[in-house]
Amino acid sequence: MSASLLPPLNALRAFEATARLGGVGRAAQALHVTHGAISRQLKLLEDHLGLALFQRAGRGLRLTAAGTRLQEACSEAFTGIEDCVRALQRPATSPALVLGCSGSVLARWMIPRLPALQAALPGVHLQWSALDGSFSETQATLDAVLLLAQGPWPRGWQVRELAPERVGVVVAPSHPAAHRLRHVPPSALLQETLLHTSSRPQAWPAWAQAHDLDPAQLQLGTGFEHLYYLLEAAVAGLGPAIAPEPLVAEDLAAGRLLAPWGFAATGGFWVLARPDGPVDARVDALADWVVEQLR
């Protein structure tokens, strides 16, 4: 629209206040001007449009049909301007992105990579929240969650699959059976006492079934509440454990752990999920970064 068609802004502001508050006096008080100033602006606006915007109703004013249409447009426009100004006046620093992550993934995988993450995404300020389980009502209060999980995905979440989950048996070279396990089939593990974690009770049975073994023949020994403690016990040589590949990659590279039969897909995924709502570009940028790291 050409600027010449727009009425003076002061006249529109006076009209919007009068229509919203229901009288010239109230509008004058709200805008901190005189009653006469409001009346002059209303006349200026009606003259500019060539239309009557109000009609007398007893001692008050009532909008005409044209006035009603203009009030709706003015209300929407002024509200949009106020919202924009409010956003422009916010501090330049965006609030922290609150990200949930299991304590094991946070300690063994994410924390060592935080310097690289901060260098790659310098504008993203993260606040970490350790969590257990997945897709709970409590987690829906976070901006996003990084999980090892398996579909179908629940309603109310936007889930991005980052990489397939791969798990395998790991054992420290100092464990008495380590050398022997490197040269025998997976069935040899049925003779060993296994470390396990209550946070992933199905990990060993699923591994056994994937290798055509009877889960009932597994000999479970010491259990740990969290995967992190399980892997620390494995590194200490307390027995074979089962672990997601990325969480033990550095231990394998350094020779602190061995993976006699490698790693295999579980059907689950590393996922970055957020509750349904407005798009947050920071979450998408973080997801892209995690994908690169998992490669």
Side-chain angles (χ1 to χ4, degrees):
M1 177 183 290
S2 171
S4 62
L5 296 179
L6 291 175
L9 180 60
N10 284 341
L12 288 173
R13 193 59 168 155
F15 164 77
E16 188 277 333
T18 302
R20 173 167 47 86
L21 299 173
V24 172
R26 294 190 184 95
Q29 186 177 9
L31 297 180
H32 305 289
V33 297
T34 65
H35 186 288
I38 295 292
S39 296
R40 286 192 295 274
Q41 292 296 334
L42 294 179
K43 185 177 186 307
L44 175 64
L45 181 59
E46 289 184 327
D47 290 344
H48 181 92
L49 298 173
L51 295 168
L53 301 174
F54 295 98
Q55 60 185 11
R56 291 287 177 183
R59 301 183 64 180
L61 296 175
R62 186 172 62 190
L63 286 168
T64 64
T68 299
R69 290 184 61 187
L70 184 60
Q71 181 197 21
E72 294 172 352
C74 286
S75 177
E76 182 177 351
F78 283 124
T79 298
I81 293 171
E82 290 173 353
D83 289 345
C84 180
V85 170
R86 191 177 296 111
L88 291 173
Q89 291 178 336
R90 288 174 186 156
T93 302
S94 60
L97 181 70
V98 184
L99 183 67
C101 181
S102 77
S104 301
V105 172
L106 180 59
R108 292 191 63 89
W109 192 83
M110 186 60 75
I111 287 178
R113 290 168 174 76
L114 285 183
L117 173 58
Q118 292 166 352
L121 304 176
V124 177
H125 305 282
L126 292 171
Q127 178 179 326
W128 296 93
S129 177
L131 54 84
D132 292 313
S134 61
F135 301 114
S136 67
E137 291 185 7
T138 300
Q139 292 175 25
T141 64
L142 306 176
D143 292 316
V145 290
L146 178 64
L147 302 170
L148 293 170
Q150 190 166 356
W153 311 123
R155 300 174 69 178
W157 289 84
Q158 301 173 37
V159 180
R160 178 171 170 184
E161 297 175 357
L162 307 177
E165 181 189 33
R166 290 167 50 85
V167 303
V169 176
V170 293
V171 61
S174 59
H175 188 270
H179 178 74
R180 180 178 62 83
L181 292 176
R182 298 179 67 179
H183 305 287
V184 294
S187 58
L189 205 64
L190 298 178
Q191 309 305 316
E192 302 296 328
T193 302
L194 310 176
L195 304 177
H196 61 100
T197 172
S198 57
S199 66
R200 303 194 73 178
Q202 294 303 312
W204 275 119
W207 180 88
Q209 291 175 343
H211 290 81
D212 297 322
L213 302 176
D214 181 3
Q217 296 186 37
L218 295 172
Q219 301 182 53
L220 299 183
T222 304
F224 298 87
E225 183 177 3
H226 298 293
L227 180 60
Y228 175 80
Y229 303 133
L230 170 73
L231 298 181
E232 290 299 304
V235 171
L238 301 186
I242 190 165
E245 184 176 13
L247 300 193
V248 293
E250 293 184 5
D251 295 297
L252 295 170
R256 292 187 292 268
L257 289 174
L258 305 172
W261 305 289
F263 296 84
T266 65
F269 291 88
W270 288 70
V271 303
L272 192 64
R274 62 180 175 220
D276 283 340
V279 172
D280 190 331
R282 299 173 300 170
V283 176
D284 293 330
L286 178 61
D288 291 339
W289 180 84
V290 174
V291 167
E292 290 297 322
Q293 295 296 308
L294 289 173
R295 286 176 179 167

